[in-house]
Amino acid sequence: MIGTWSLLDAMARSAATAPDRETAVALVERAHRDDVLSALRQRVSRLSPRNAEAAAMRIAVIAVACGWCGLDPQAPAAREVADEAFLELWAAIAHRIDHDQFVALPTLALHNWAPERKPRRHIPIDQLARTEQLVPIVRWAPEGQPLSRLDRLMLAATRLEAHGIWLLRLAETLAGRSPDDSSTPTALRRLVRVQHALRAQLHAEAANLAAAPATPQQRAVLGALVEQGALEPPVLQAADAVLGIGGRRMGEGRRQLLRRHLPAQHRAWLSAMDRHCAPVRTLAHRGGPDAAVYREAQESLIALRRTYTALVHAAARPTTPLPTAA
């Protein structure tokens, strides 16, 4: 980010590596006193959509570092908890990107990773993550130190989204298909293979994540996101829209709570998949080989979700102290 917005970038980097919430809040209050926040608020309308998303990622970092991720920035009660000027900037960014609940894993992860080698042209992050070494824009670990568990969890979510692009394509393939269509079981078998591959990918990430350092502040950030239900990767929600696991196990209301952290366009796409994949979900009540393939797809999604949840728990686990020398 350039110009005045580089001040927001610097604030986000400092907040992410702050030792505690109080230090992060002090950074925001200092920016308020120096009129940095009001200057940024006046420039929000000039941001391009892509730059607005970049600014939103930094706002999300600051909000969770300060312990404010559960706030509605436009609610009067929020002003009793958080800095007023920051809330105004937060609300303005939310209006600019048409997304009120953006302080969540999709924003924190998917907008925070860039290729180590800058491409000559704009390439979507899902392609870059499959072909390039990614580095964080805002690190939760200080410069010069290894990536933290929180960094590695965000990277795992970004890679999951990148390699899970086939789940989105298979969802569109299955949309509107009859359960008796000969292509339906073929697409479901491919769905199973992709979900198994994604689970293996998460297992491969787990060792590096478990060995990474973690601080109480980083665990507090993760805990706050978990409390808000703001950690479900979009690609898992896409598979759920096809297979109906969430609707059956958690209830439709719970599913919508998980989706509220996604952009409006993505939420609309998932709702369309809910409707268009309803015929395929009737296989759950049938017998025969096609129904068995459908149930296998459901079971593989459940296993994938459990593996992802285990990764989140590993990221939140206290660091085991090194044994002292005798």
Side-chain angles (χ1 to χ4, degrees), residues 1 11 17 47 62 70-71 97 113 117 137-138 146 171 176 221 234 245 264-265:
M1 304 189 82
M11 195 191 321
T17 55
L47 288 171
I62 297 167
L71 298 180
I97 64 175
W113 293 86
R117 180 179 61 177
I137 297 168
V138 175
V221 164
I245 301 294
Q265 184 179 5

Side-chain angles (χ1 to χ4, degrees), residues 319-326:
T319 304
T320 303
L322 294 173
T324 56

Side-chain angles (χ1 to χ4, degrees), residues 12-13 15-19 61 64 105 108-109 112-113 134-157 159 205-222 225 311-319:
R13 292 169 190 263
T17 55
V61 168
V64 296
L105 177 113
L108 287 164
N112 190 38
W113 293 86
L134 298 182
V135 293
I137 297 168
V138 175
R139 290 169 53 103
W140 291 91
E143 288 292 337
Q145 294 186 16
L147 293 179
S148 70
R149 286 189 201 160
L150 188 54
D151 286 312
R152 290 201 170 275
L153 176 65
M154 301 293 181
L155 178 58
R159 287 176 174 158
E205 300 271 3
N208 285 334
L209 184 143
T215 66
Q217 167 68 344
Q218 291 161 4
R219 292 197 299 275
V221 164
L222 181 55
L225 290 171
L311 201 67
V312 172
H313 289 163
R317 194 176 300 130
T319 304

Side-chain angles (χ1 to χ4, degrees), residues 3-326:
T4 307
W5 290 102
S6 63
L7 299 173
L8 180 66
D9 181 73
M11 195 191 321
R13 292 169 190 263
S14 297
T17 55
D20 50 47
R21 289 179 174 177
E22 291 73 18
T23 305
V25 171
L27 290 167
V28 174
E29 292 173 344
R30 189 181 311 126
H32 184 175
R33 291 194 300 271
D34 295 342
D35 291 328
V36 170
L37 299 177
S38 60
L40 293 172
R41 167 67 185 85
Q42 294 166 15
R43 291 169 170 79
V44 168
S45 61
R46 305 175 205 169
L47 288 171
S48 67
R50 189 175 168 193
N51 287 337
E53 289 175 348
M57 181 270 288
R58 290 159 173 85
I59 291 290
V61 168
I62 297 167
V64 296
C66 293
W68 297 337
C69 64
L71 298 180
D72 176 355
Q74 300 190 69
R79 298 177 185 274
E80 300 175 8
V81 178
D83 182 89
E84 184 174 350
F86 180 77
L87 290 172
E88 290 175 356
L89 175 60
W90 179 351
I93 291 288
H95 179 75
R96 181 70 183 84
I97 64 175
D98 191 25
H99 187 187
D100 291 334
Q101 301 283 341
F102 69 83
V103 180
L105 177 113
T107 303
L108 287 164
L110 302 182
H111 297 301
N112 190 38
W113 293 86
E116 193 172 28
R117 180 179 61 177
K118 188 173 182 181
R120 295 179 181 176
R121 59 189 177 87
H122 176 64
I123 301 175
I125 190 64
D126 63 276
Q127 293 182 33
L128 288 171
R130 293 196 296 272
T131 59
E132 299 285 344
Q133 181 74 23
L134 298 182
V135 293
I137 297 168
V138 175
R139 290 169 53 103
W140 291 91
E143 288 292 337
Q145 294 186 16
L147 293 179
S148 70
R149 286 189 201 160
L150 188 54
D151 286 312
R152 290 201 170 275
L153 176 65
M154 301 293 181
L155 178 58
T158 301
R159 287 176 174 158
L160 184 68
E161 198 70 11
H163 292 273
I165 190 71
W166 293 104
L167 290 184
L168 305 182
R169 293 170 182 169
L170 286 166
E172 292 180 337
T173 298
L174 287 163
R177 291 289 173 91
S178 164
D180 301 314
D181 191 313
S182 61
S183 64
T184 297
T186 301
L188 287 170
R189 289 189 191 96
R190 289 175 179 167
L191 198 70
V192 171
R193 287 199 297 271
V194 171
Q195 289 176 165
H196 281 319
L198 294 177
R199 191 178 178 211
Q201 178 184 318
L202 289 180
H203 275 299
E205 300 271 3
N208 285 334
L209 184 143
T215 66
Q217 167 68 344
Q218 291 161 4
R219 292 197 299 275
V221 164
L222 181 55
L225 290 171
V226 170
E227 187 178 337
Q228 294 300 312
L231 282 174
E232 179 88 334
V235 70
L236 295 186
Q237 297 196 41
D240 172 68
V242 176
L243 300 171
I245 301 294
R248 187 182 69 184
R249 295 176 69 216
M250 298 183 296
E252 187 61 28
R254 174 63 175 164
R255 176 185 284 176
Q256 296 308 319
L257 285 176
L258 291 176
R259 290 180 181 175
R260 74 186 188 276
H261 302 293
L262 302 179
Q265 184 179 5
H266 200 147
R267 293 198 306 272
W269 184 88
L270 289 171
S271 295
M273 289 299 106
D274 284 335
R275 296 191 303 273
H276 296 156
C277 292
V280 173
R281 291 196 294 273
T282 63
L283 285 168
H285 311 293
R286 297 190 183 189
D290 291 353
V293 171
Y294 177 81
R295 283 190 283 273
E296 184 182 2
Q298 285 189 315
E299 289 166 4
S300 68
L301 175 57
I302 291 170
L304 176 59
R305 269 182 159 159
R306 285 176 177 165
T307 303
Y308 175 75
T309 300
L311 201 67
V312 172
H313 289 163
R317 194 176 300 130
T319 304
T320 303
L322 294 173
T324 56

